[in-house]
Amino acid sequence: MAEQAVKLRCQRIGCNATFTEDDNPEGSCTFHASGPIFHDGMKEWSCCKKRSHDFSLFLEIPGCKTGKHTTEKPVLNKPVATKTIPTSSPAVTLSTSATSKESCPRCSQGFFCSDHGSQPKVPNPTPAVLAKSSADVKESSPPPKKIVDINQPQTCKNKGCGKVFKEIENHESACSYHPGPAVFHDRVRGWKCCDIYVKEFDEFMTIPPCKKGWHDADPVP
């Protein structure tokens, strides 16, 4: 009886597939060649410049390089967390005259104006404005969740999961995920929900989920 080949886990960032030494052709692995950059809430892959504000969508960005799978962790530049340094602005001479305030477009529309230092009274909304506001609320109502076949494979969008599941097999402890947001701050990254923080991005990716629940292919943001 032939011995079954041992399946290995690819360590390239963005791949995470399983493979065997006998079945590892060139081009079978799709991965990111360099590490991420975190800047003012934006996540970006430095290799392909693709970015996203949402961390789950950021992790779904497909790799930009192809090659063979490997069990060796790539040596990457450390993720860069940049900050915006505020620049000084020239002093502005404030005008307090009634004439300037009356001619100011922001004050005349009822908005707060830093140039005149006070909050003007907001005019009562007209029936037309109220009707428009009501229409805007109706238009912004979330659409109903789509109905899918219970045997249709779906990908769980819960943070830290990403597994493929079928609704017929879904249950209250099927999914292991992070309910809280990912935190990136001063070269430290982690999960607020379980209060675990590390310095390296690959260590962050291996932080185990801290909660169980239902798989969800269309979670509410």
Side-chain angles (χ1 to χ4, degrees):
M1 183 176 181
E3 185 177 347
Q4 188 175 3
V6 177
K7 288 192 174 183
L8 306 172
R9 177 74 64 178
C10 182
Q11 295 299 312
R12 293 190 191 274
I13 293 182
C15 179
N16 201 39
T18 57
F19 69 100
T20 62
E21 293 289 357
D22 298 332
D23 185 17
N24 187 19
E26 186 70 35
S28 59
C29 178
T30 302
F31 62 98
H32 288 288
S34 57
I37 298 173
F38 307 112
H39 175 71
D40 288 347
M42 178 67 74
K43 294 85 176 168
E44 176 183 326
W45 290 108
S46 57
C47 48
C48 55
K49 305 302 180 184
K50 293 185 178 179
R51 59 180 65 181
S52 175
H53 280 99
D54 185 272
F55 186 69
S56 298
L57 297 178
F58 172 71
L59 292 181
E60 292 178 5
I61 295 175
C64 55
K65 301 288 184 181
T66 58
K68 287 187 175 183
H69 295 297
T70 178
T71 56
E72 296 183 6
K73 290 188 176 182
V75 179
L76 302 173
N77 294 329
K78 291 185 177 181
V80 179
T82 60
K83 289 185 177 181
T84 302
I85 301 176
T87 57
S88 58
S89 57
V92 179
T93 304
L94 300 180
S95 173
T96 57
S97 66
T99 304
S100 299
K101 186 173 181 179
E102 291 173 358
S103 62
C104 175
R106 290 188 61 83
C107 292
S108 62
Q109 295 180 45
F111 294 110
F112 174 76
C113 178
S114 59
D115 291 339
H116 302 110
S118 63
Q119 176 67 57
K121 293 183 179 180
V122 179
N124 293 327
T126 63
V129 173
L130 292 175
K132 185 178 184 302
S133 300
S134 178
D136 290 342
V137 171
K138 292 180 180 178
E139 290 178 1
S140 63
S141 298
K145 286 194 174 184
K146 60 183 179 180
I147 300 175
V148 298
D149 191 306
I150 59 174
N151 290 302
Q152 177 182 337
Q154 303 179 81
T155 301
C156 182
K157 300 295 186 181
N158 286 335
K159 298 180 180 67
C161 180
K163 293 183 178 179
V164 177
F165 71 99
K166 296 179 181 179
E167 196 60 47
I168 194 173
E169 300 170 349
N170 201 4
H171 55 83
E172 60 184 7
S173 59
C175 177
S176 296
Y177 67 101
H178 289 286
V183 177
F184 304 97
H185 180 67
D186 290 343
R187 297 183 182 274
V188 174
R189 47 206 54 81
W191 293 99
K192 187 175 182 180
C193 49
C194 48
D195 200 27
I196 297 178
Y197 302 93
V198 295
K199 292 184 177 180
E200 302 298 335
F201 184 72
D202 55 350
E203 292 178 320
F204 166 75
M205 295 297 293
T206 60
I207 295 176
C210 57
K211 188 173 182 179
K212 288 188 174 293
W214 295 79
H215 286 304
D216 195 346
D218 187 24
V220 178

